[in-house]
Amino acid sequence: MPAKPRLELIEITKRYPAVLANDAVSLAVMPGEIHGLIGENGAGKSTLMRIAFGIVQPDAGEIRWDGATVRIDSPAAARALGIGMVFQHFALFESLTVTENVLLGLGRARARDALADDIRSLGERYGLSLNPDAPVYALSVGERQRVEIIRALLLAPRLLIMDEPTSVLTPAAVDRLFGTLRQLAGEGVSVLYISHKLDEVRTLCSRATVMRAGKVTGRCEPERETVASLSRMMIGSEPPRTRRDLPTPGEPVLEVRGLSLAPIDRTGKSLGAVDLTVRRGEIVGIAGVSGNGQGELLAAIVGEDRRAPRDAIRIAGRPVGNASVKVRRALGLAYVPEERLGTATVPDFGLDRNLLLSHADGALFRAGLIRDRVLGERAATIIADFDVKAGGVRAVARSLSGGNLQKYIVGRELARVPKLLVAAQPTWGVDVGAAARIRQALVRLRDAGAGLLVVSEELDELFEVCDRLVVIAGGRLSAPIAIADATVESIGALMAGVPTTSAAPGPAPGTAPGTAPGTATGVASVAGRVPGSAVAASERAP
């Protein structure tokens, strides 16, 4: 007889005051199956998974586990059945260590030293290395995601729900994670895999369910589909390709010279003699494995860490190494942090009030009071321009899906028309259509004369939008590489700390990428450029 589904969701409905999140959704995951769940931002995927994990209760519908009807009224009840979940919005206590967070998630007593050893060994086995004694507040987004994955794997689950698990993992770590998931599936574990990365779904999943606007709109075998056909099922069209002309760099808008900083605490990374230049009219990307000093460098640039010597950092020609965030913003700085809730936004503030975190111009105030109408109009414009699905301008930040909140944050910073935009993981957790729109918006900002510094662990993203790349490893930056001369292999080697042939210092102002004197032939000759990502000159918009 055919096996019964491990998990079966039947006609699940969940209503909120402003939205019907799930509208009679049905889904079944078989034992040993890796099942994909795809859909645009706000399609209802995360709500459905929170119901399956007991965080949210459905208004209607039935849940079956191994064929028997069950009520999953809490995460503890889900874990007791054998359900583990890796969250997109991390469920971690920032003041506790990695080991303490894992211990809380296990729901049972464990000797702390033995658990720390298990965390180390599991991390080494799957390329998810972590310091078990590090407090979570000191970890980057990528490292926090590793905590979630390791905690779920230590539960030895029968069903593993993974919500955007690779959004900030390197390609090598993704490959190792996929190997782990296939091994688990071979042992009978079911995997419910939520991702916006359609190539991952095609590679990993045997079946997939497609959602749009809270409903199931299709089911398919992903390996029989193309990325384009999956995109049409998910968003109704193929995502537009980023179009960009050759850059025409101008004067420097950001200069970092000889920046060396000791770590703020014992878990941080030191920065060693960092040199970096971003000019008007160009996008410079920083690639690197999470936790190699990206956070420390950005904190120094945007003013969260003011220990730098005054002349070590210049914005628009002004020395700002020890200046406040306010001073830097007045010089034209805008910032998209990697942590959406708690850093980029106040979780319990409405979208309109969250606008005040970076918009403080006189038009929003009168006699020291907030002009609510003007604030609401500005927030509404951002919501419309970036197609943010939200219950109005007063919807609190935490009520939005991760991708919709990310779109709002990016739109909020771009609305300031900055001279310098620093963006960390700008399309993290965003669906393919919205990611394409965000990347095109970044290119438009560059073409308008701004300088952009983009930190991303998505190599495809960096190759698609950047004019030059640098790699950070161990708190040090590589020499810049013109995007025309960069390859996956050369960047990957630098990310791993393997020295390669010296790279060129990048194009001089007004020089097309790849024509800088002294370009490293060793880097340029490595085969394997990213197909379809770095846009050839002949394919760029006229």
Side-chain angles (χ1 to χ4, degrees):
M1 294 180 64
K4 295 177 181 177
R6 176 67 44 79
L7 174 71
E8 193 172 9
L9 305 175
I10 303 171
E11 300 288 313
I12 297 295
T13 297
K14 181 64 183 179
R15 295 180 178 85
Y16 291 105
V19 66
L20 178 57
N22 292 151
D23 186 1
V25 175
S26 296
L27 180 150
V29 186
M30 304 303 292
E33 177 189 13
I34 303 178
H35 191 108
L37 181 60
I38 61 176
E40 60 186 340
N41 294 128
K45 308 181 302 296
S46 292
T47 297
L48 190 67
M49 293 305 96
R50 289 164 69 86
I51 288 172
F53 197 59
I55 299 171
V56 173
Q57 296 303 301
D59 297 323
E62 182 182 357
I63 303 175
R64 292 179 184 171
W65 181 259
D66 288 337
T69 299
V70 296
R71 175 178 171 81
I72 306 176
D73 55 10
S74 68
R79 286 192 291 266
L81 289 173
I83 302 175
M85 184 166 179
V86 175
F87 294 89
Q88 181 186 17
H89 283 161
F90 310 131
L92 301 171
F93 292 95
E94 295 208 352
S95 60
L96 301 182
T97 66
V98 169
T99 300
E100 290 165 343
N101 270 281
V102 171
L103 184 60
L104 287 173
L106 291 179
R108 61 179 185 270
R110 282 287 306 276
R112 185 171 303 190
D113 290 345
L115 181 58
D117 290 341
D118 287 345
I119 292 169
R120 287 191 186 93
S121 61
L122 197 66
E124 291 171 1
R125 179 180 176 186
Y126 297 127
L128 302 167
S129 59
L130 283 167
N131 175 4
D133 299 322
V136 166
Y137 70 77
L139 303 182
S140 68
V141 168
E143 291 169 312
R144 295 181 191 205
Q145 196 153 43
R146 294 176 206 170
V147 178
E148 291 276 11
I149 294 172
I150 284 178
R151 181 168 64 181
L153 293 177
L154 282 169
L155 283 167
R158 298 179 64 211
L159 169 68
L160 181 59
I161 301 172
M162 309 198 81
D163 193 352
E164 300 289 346
T166 66
S167 54
V168 286
L169 295 181
T170 62
V174 170
D175 288 343
R176 286 191 288 268
L177 177 62
F178 282 11
T180 300
L181 297 180
R182 292 188 181 104
Q183 180 181 340
L184 291 170
E187 296 168 357
V189 176
S190 303
V191 178
L192 193 44
Y193 190 86
I194 307 169
S195 180
H196 290 119
K197 300 179 181 180
L198 301 183
D199 54 343
E200 289 186 357
V201 174
R202 292 182 65 243
T203 298
L204 184 65
C205 302
S206 57
R207 292 193 303 146
T209 298
V210 185
M211 293 184 65
R212 190 191 305 174
K215 296 182 179 181
V216 172
T217 56
R219 293 182 173 86
C220 66
E221 297 178 21
E223 64 181 0
R224 296 177 179 269
E225 303 288 338
T226 64
V227 169
S229 66
L230 285 175
S231 177
R232 286 192 295 270
M233 293 172 66
M234 191 173 86
I235 64 174
S237 63
E238 296 182 33
R241 189 175 183 179
T242 303
R243 296 171 60 84
R244 61 191 183 97
D245 298 317
L246 291 172
T248 53
E251 69 275 11
V253 68
L254 171 66
E255 298 170 275
V256 181
R257 292 290 175 264
L259 176 63
S260 295
L261 288 174
I264 294 177
D265 56 45
R266 60 187 176 85
T267 65
K269 278 285 182 188
S270 61
L271 298 177
V274 171
D275 289 324
L276 177 67
T277 299
V278 178
R279 297 180 172 90
R280 290 175 57 88
E282 73 167 349
I283 303 176
V284 177
I286 299 181
V289 178
S290 182
N292 270 272
Q294 296 95 322
E296 288 81 357
L297 177 58
L298 293 192
I301 290 173
V302 304
E304 291 177 355
D305 181 356
R306 296 167 60 184
R307 297 177 299 145
R310 183 170 179 269
D311 289 328
I313 302 172
R314 289 178 174 263
I315 293 177
R318 291 272 301 275
V320 296
N322 57 358
S324 67
V325 173
K326 182 178 179 180
V327 167
R328 300 178 204 220
R329 283 193 173 274
L331 291 171
L333 170 71
Y335 180 39
V336 177
E338 65 176 359
E339 181 59 39
R340 289 191 280 253
L341 287 172
T343 301
T345 60
V346 180
D348 294 317
F349 276 17
L351 297 180
D352 53 355
R353 286 292 192 266
N354 268 295
L355 196 66
L356 295 172
L357 295 180
S358 62
H359 289 238
D361 53 275
L364 296 177
F365 301 93
R366 176 179 292 165
L369 299 177
I370 298 171
R371 300 178 69 187
D372 285 323
R373 182 182 60 80
V374 177
L375 187 67
E377 289 173 351
R378 192 173 297 185
T381 298
I382 295 169
I383 290 171
D385 288 348
F386 284 82
D387 191 26
V388 178
K389 293 180 175 61
V393 298
R394 294 188 178 180
V396 298
R398 70 165 69 252
S399 71
L400 273 65
S401 70
N404 277 297
L405 184 57
Q406 185 71 12
K407 287 190 286 184
Y408 183 78
I409 293 165
V410 172
R412 179 188 68 189
E413 297 306 300
L414 291 180
R416 297 184 62 242
V417 193
K419 296 178 181 177
L420 169 64
L421 175 68
V422 177
Q425 318 297 345
T427 61
W428 171 39
V430 175
D431 67 55
V432 289
R437 287 193 292 272
I438 287 174
R439 291 167 184 164
Q440 191 65 66
L442 297 180
V443 172
R444 284 198 300 269
L445 183 64
R446 180 205 73 166
D447 293 343
L452 289 82
L453 180 65
V454 176
V455 178
S456 178
E457 292 176 44
E458 294 271 6
L459 284 183
D460 285 352
E461 177 166 82
L462 292 176
F463 274 82
E464 187 171 343
V465 304
C466 295
D467 304 304
R468 292 189 294 139
L469 284 178
V470 295
V471 176
I472 190 165
R476 293 179 176 272
L477 287 188
S478 71
I481 305 172
I483 200 69
D485 298 323
T487 66
V488 172
E489 288 83 356
S490 62
I491 299 301
L494 290 169
M495 289 170 66
V498 178
T500 63
T501 305
S502 298
T511 304
T515 61
T519 299
T521 56
V523 171
S525 65
V526 179
R529 298 180 188 278
V530 177
S533 53
V535 184
S538 61
E539 298 173 325
R540 291 181 176 127

